[in-house]
Amino acid sequence: MNNNGAPILQIKNLKTYFKTDQGLAKAVDDVSFDLHAGKTLSVVGESGCGKSVTALSVMGLVPEPPGVKAGGQILFEGRDLLTMPEKELRAIRGNDISMIFQEPMTSMNPVFRVGGQLSAAIRLHRGLNKTDARQEAIRLLDQVGIPAPEQRVDDYPHQLSGGMLQRVMIALALACNPKVLIADEPTTALDVTIQAQILELLRELQAERGMTILLITHDLGVVAENADEVVVMYAGKKVEQAPVAELFKNPRHPYTQGLFASLPSLEKTLERLHVIEGNVPAATQFPDGCRFNNRCPYVQSRCKSDLPPYEAIAGTAHGVACWEHNALAALDPAESGVHSP
Amino acid sequence: MSDDLLIVENLKKHFPIKRGIFSKTVGAVYAVDGISFSIPRGSTLSLVGESGSGKTTAGRSLLRLVEPTSGTITFDGINVCQLDRKDLRALRKRVQIIFQDPFGSLNPRMTVYSVLAEAMKAHGLGDRNSRRARCFELLELVGLPPEAADRYPHEFSGGQRQRIGIARALAVEPDLIVADEPVSALDVSVQAQILNLLKDLQERLGLTYLFIGHDLSVIRHISTTVAVMYLGRIVEIAPVEQLFNNPIHPYTKALLSAVPKNDPERNLQRTVLTGDVPSPIEPPSGCHFHPRCPDAVPDCALVGANLVEYSKGHHVACNRYVPGDTGERTPTQGTGIATNQ
């Protein structure tokens, strides 16, 4: 990982909880990681692991109530976004940090033309006049690869396909030249051939602008091809973090190993898939101790009572939150039967 | 051909588009536009394609949940298209469907027992006691505890609900199950459980599956034969190993190449298709794929492509493929292609 210079965005011990009828849901519970300029960090996990809430917390978009900022810091260039007055946050949100969402179809206002929605953001953040903002909107649409942008700018969202709308969303997010782009499952709602186009576009734009990307996804293939660094989340906790090549070669947490092993392969036909038994627990009912203990094949008594701390593995850029990771690493991977790289 | 449980010939489903006060038909959505395939007993045929390719409509036409426009469907020697209401009901006892969305496809006010019993009652199976017994049998079959019988759908997670959906389909002891994207809404760790369950059930009960999906690695895992659809037509159909190891059609190749691979060290080299899937209302002339095809020649816009045999069981619909060649693309004059209709 590139460590020269301070990280552009630091998430420190972030705790975002929700008050629900079933009790307190610890959606994000003591999660820390750093984003370095120009790199892509991917947060990966299954539904309910807290990856989207992490992204929304950075943007200050968690609704309160029911959301509760229960602690931690989010430092953008040294300033804490969590304690910042709304007015200052507004100056950063959209300008320096912007976000694209999972569903392009529901993220745009259906009754306004896409060009109008784009130029509204441009006028608000960059103070351009109406005509200039329209020109800028056309230029941005062109940049994200929309054919005939002069005509598309007057289309309504329903007139565009999902892939085209996601391009508009990207144009919207790029309108103010953000330093950090948060992409929350940007291609999940799209077909694979369109997904390939959008991911390629994001890589090009990143190379052009030196943008930092926080990529939230559940798709390990997307992670493998786009991330520099990966954070694996489970049940509101960071369970593992490593540079992408290291994580795929040598996953250390039983959950990460199980996740890799349960993927069907495109290259070979397997008789049976590896299975992680059970289900992801609800956020109000996380088990005591390690939150993975009720599904973990290597569970020990300590795992059921004490929460394993996240710790770096000596001499590597790799870290893991598991009591047994040293004992597991000593096992022959073939013998453990879980991960077959 | 008595080995084939289901034979579909030249199936078409066109949805008319009506406009104006007299509901004049002004056009049609060519959702399924002449597809043919057959499924041998005990095997799995998969329909794979992107949104709008017609795979779901094709699946639903088999049960006449949508009425086919033309073509014939022969299920175990019975002509499905000509059945009256009574016989159709009898057919549906033998052909069941599992839906994609485990949240939307179960009545929230019915307990699991009533969901399962209703299916049996509808087809006049058993009495009160035997239905209750059968319900526990089904729950065990799909890996749910017997207590589940008296609980409501909201008490279950997505994966468990999909198990209930599978149990409901199995309740009437069908021969053929149409599984419409049964794992698309599930997390990978749960997806693996459901895929294993479907395979186990097939082995134990000798079921035949028509599997509809878009995730190619899932398709590879579950299928015996794969049919790739594009805009209502089958562009390539082959035994699973053939299709994945030796794809011939440019669309199949692009689809396979678009899937992100779980290997960060592989260099990114892929054919990224340009443009979107065109609308099935006005599909492109000639070969539907020609506007996006990297190998297209001008003739492709004029002449439609028919399925021709590449090797046993492997058919491909591409004007640029000449029977007898080794899959290497050679320029053709486009018109002299044999048809198999």
Side-chain angles (χ1 to χ4, degrees):
Chain A
M1 188 68 211
N2 175 6
N3 276 325
N4 36 7
I8 187 164
L9 187 76
Q10 281 179 289
I11 294 175
K12 286 188 171 176
N13 308 101
L14 177 69
K15 291 181 184 175
T16 306
Y17 297 167
F18 291 88
K19 283 183 178 151
T20 71
D21 293 344
Q22 286 80 41
L24 196 61
K26 298 184 174 180
V28 176
D29 199 11
D30 206 4
V31 167
S32 309
F33 57 85
D34 295 349
L35 260 72
H36 291 270
K39 299 283 177 183
T40 299
L41 180 135
S42 190
V43 177
V44 63
E46 297 181 287
S47 19
C49 73
K51 55 190 192 301
S52 287
V53 176
T54 306
L56 291 175
S57 303
V58 176
M59 293 298 281
L61 292 177
V62 174
E64 291 176 61
V68 187
K69 287 176 194 155
Q73 288 180 307
I74 299 175
L75 299 176
F76 174 70
E77 295 179 328
R79 296 196 292 162
D80 187 0
L81 300 179
L82 287 181
T83 54
M84 190 176 278
E86 179 67 21
K87 206 174 158 193
E88 284 176 47
L89 186 60
R90 280 186 156 214
I92 290 181
R93 185 165 57 202
N95 273 334
D96 294 322
I97 308 179
S98 60
M99 182 158 177
I100 45 183
F101 297 90
Q102 174 171 355
E103 285 201 16
M105 297 79 178
T106 53
S107 312
M108 310 256 336
N109 190 328
V111 299
F112 291 106
R113 298 173 197 274
V114 294
Q117 299 187 52
L118 253 172
S119 32
I122 297 167
R123 290 170 68 192
L124 178 71
H125 285 285
R126 289 168 47 184
L128 269 62
N129 68 30
K130 221 171 171 175
T131 11
D132 290 349
R134 186 183 157 88
Q135 281 314 310
E136 180 65 10
I138 294 175
R139 194 187 66 80
L140 283 164
L141 290 179
D142 187 44
Q143 206 184 4
V144 295
I146 292 186
E150 304 79 14
Q151 283 135 45
R152 294 290 83 78
V153 76
D154 292 321
D155 278 353
Y156 288 95
H158 75 266
Q159 293 172 288
L160 298 176
S161 68
M164 282 299 147
L165 266 186
Q166 196 58 294
R167 286 172 191 265
V168 175
M169 289 299 295
I170 293 172
L172 198 53
L174 296 180
C176 303
N177 252 322
K179 294 175 183 155
V180 178
L181 178 69
I182 300 176
D184 187 2
E185 305 260 12
T187 56
T188 307
L190 307 176
D191 283 319
V192 276
T193 59
I194 310 299
Q195 162 169 290
Q197 292 173 5
I198 297 291
L199 291 174
E200 181 132 314
L201 173 69
L202 281 177
R203 280 193 295 268
E204 277 168 24
L205 292 168
Q206 180 176 37
E208 243 165 61
R209 298 166 175 237
M211 222 164 31
T212 310
I213 297 181
L214 175 59
L215 178 67
I216 314 280
T217 182
H218 69 280
D219 186 330
L220 289 163
V222 170
V223 172
E225 293 192 352
N226 295 280
D228 298 301
E229 178 88 7
V230 189
V231 167
V232 183
M233 285 185 73
Y234 182 80
K237 287 282 182 190
K238 174 168 97 170
V239 295
E240 185 159 9
Q241 178 174 354
V244 65
E246 165 70 12
L247 187 87
F248 278 74
K249 212 182 299 166
N250 191 14
R252 298 292 290 268
H253 197 283
Y255 173 65
T256 319
Q257 293 172 354
L259 212 52
F260 281 123
S262 58
L263 285 177
S265 164
L266 199 58
E267 258 94 53
K268 53 181 187 283
T269 308
L270 305 162
E271 255 322 291
R272 282 187 74 79
L273 294 171
H274 174 80
V275 159
I276 304 179
E277 292 300 335
N279 293 289
V280 181
T284 47
Q285 290 161 356
F286 290 145
D288 289 336
C290 173
R291 290 180 181 174
F292 188 57
N293 76 51
N294 53 351
R295 302 178 74 191
C296 182
Y298 310 110
V299 62
Q300 304 294 319
S301 59
R302 175 164 62 162
C303 305
K304 292 183 178 162
S305 52
D306 301 324
L307 191 71
Y310 176 84
E311 48 191 22
I313 298 167
T316 66
H318 199 148
V320 61
C322 174
W323 290 119
E324 297 297 319
H325 74 88
N326 280 322
L328 290 180
L331 280 180
D332 180 8
E335 211 170 290
S336 75
V338 171
H339 181 65
S340 44
Chain B
M1 289 304 247
S2 63
D3 236 25
D4 291 330
L5 182 64
L6 184 81
I7 303 166
V8 173
E9 278 166 302
N10 208 14
L11 179 70
K12 289 186 184 175
K13 176 63 196 178
H14 299 167
F15 293 99
I17 303 168
K18 295 188 169 156
R19 290 268 158 73
I21 46 168
F22 299 115
S23 298
K24 205 173 132 206
T25 304
V26 293
V29 178
Y30 298 94
V32 177
D33 200 18
I35 62 170
S36 307
F37 58 82
S38 55
I39 315 179
R41 276 172 217 278
S43 73
T44 305
L45 180 119
S46 291
L47 294 177
V48 59
E50 298 181 281
S51 15
S53 61
K55 53 191 194 300
T56 293
T57 306
R60 294 192 174 186
S61 316
L62 301 186
L63 287 93
R64 282 179 55 198
L65 291 174
V66 295
E67 285 296 332
T69 308
S70 68
T72 56
I73 302 167
T74 316
F75 174 80
D76 204 10
I78 306 162
N79 185 343
V80 174
C81 297
Q82 285 172 359
L83 294 180
D84 58 22
R85 279 180 63 123
K86 200 174 124 256
D87 291 336
L88 187 58
R89 212 181 163 88
L91 171 87
R92 287 184 181 154
K93 180 189 166 301
R94 301 186 59 194
V95 187
Q96 283 285 310
I97 185 163
I98 306 169
F99 296 98
Q100 170 172 5
D101 178 7
F103 296 88
S105 55
L106 295 170
N107 186 335
R109 289 159 182 264
M110 287 168 77
T111 62
V112 171
Y113 166 70
S114 26
V115 167
L116 300 180
E118 191 186 43
M120 295 181 246
K121 246 188 276 178
H123 291 287
L125 297 175
D127 55 29
R128 185 179 290 255
N129 290 330
S130 67
R131 281 200 289 264
R132 183 104 192 146
R134 172 81 179 136
C135 166
F136 290 123
E137 218 177 279
L138 287 165
L139 288 174
E140 200 205 322
L141 202 58
V142 299
L144 287 172
E147 307 88 84
D150 295 315
R151 293 200 295 189
Y152 289 89
H154 76 265
E155 298 175 65
F156 296 94
S157 68
Q160 288 169 322
R161 282 183 218 210
Q162 204 54 294
R163 288 175 194 268
I164 299 170
I166 294 171
R168 176 175 62 185
L170 293 175
V172 296
E173 298 179 25
D175 300 312
L176 175 72
I177 291 186
V178 177
D180 188 0
E181 305 251 17
V183 296
S184 306
L186 307 176
D187 280 317
V188 280
S189 70
V190 179
Q191 166 182 300
Q193 297 173 2
I194 299 296
L195 288 175
N196 281 346
L197 175 66
L198 287 173
K199 275 199 143 180
D200 289 347
L201 291 172
Q202 179 164 46
E203 245 165 62
R204 283 177 62 180
L205 308 173
L207 295 167
T208 308
Y209 291 142
L210 176 74
F211 191 94
I212 297 165
H214 70 276
D215 183 329
L216 287 159
S217 39
V218 168
I219 295 288
R220 167 150 208 173
H221 182 72
I222 197 103
S223 317
T224 322
T225 308
V226 183
V228 181
M229 287 187 71
Y230 189 76
L231 281 180
R233 295 180 182 168
I234 292 177
V235 297
E236 186 161 5
I237 181 165
V240 62
E241 289 298 319
Q242 270 285 324
L243 190 98
F244 281 82
N245 295 330
N246 189 17
I248 303 293
H249 197 282
Y251 178 65
T252 315
K253 289 181 179 171
L255 208 55
L256 283 168
S257 122
V259 181
K261 311 294 183 299
N262 292 318
D263 180 2
E265 281 166 5
R266 177 198 300 248
N267 56 0
L268 289 172
Q269 268 202 338
R270 65 165 46 118
T271 5
V272 173
L273 290 180
T274 51
D276 288 323
V277 182
S279 155
I281 297 173
E282 285 168 39
S285 61
C287 168
H288 286 351
F289 186 56
H290 83 265
R292 301 176 79 197
C293 181
D295 298 332
V297 292
D299 271 355
C300 294
L302 305 172
V303 187
N306 290 307
L307 281 171
V308 293
E309 187 166 57
Y310 167 74
S311 62
K312 191 170 166 17
H314 189 163
H315 292 78
V316 58
C318 176
N319 284 336
R320 301 210 55 198
Y321 166 70
V322 183
D325 84 2
T326 49
E328 290 300 314
R329 206 104 352 256
T330 48
T332 67
Q333 301 317 306
T335 44
I337 296 295
T339 70
N340 68 333
Q341 294 296 326

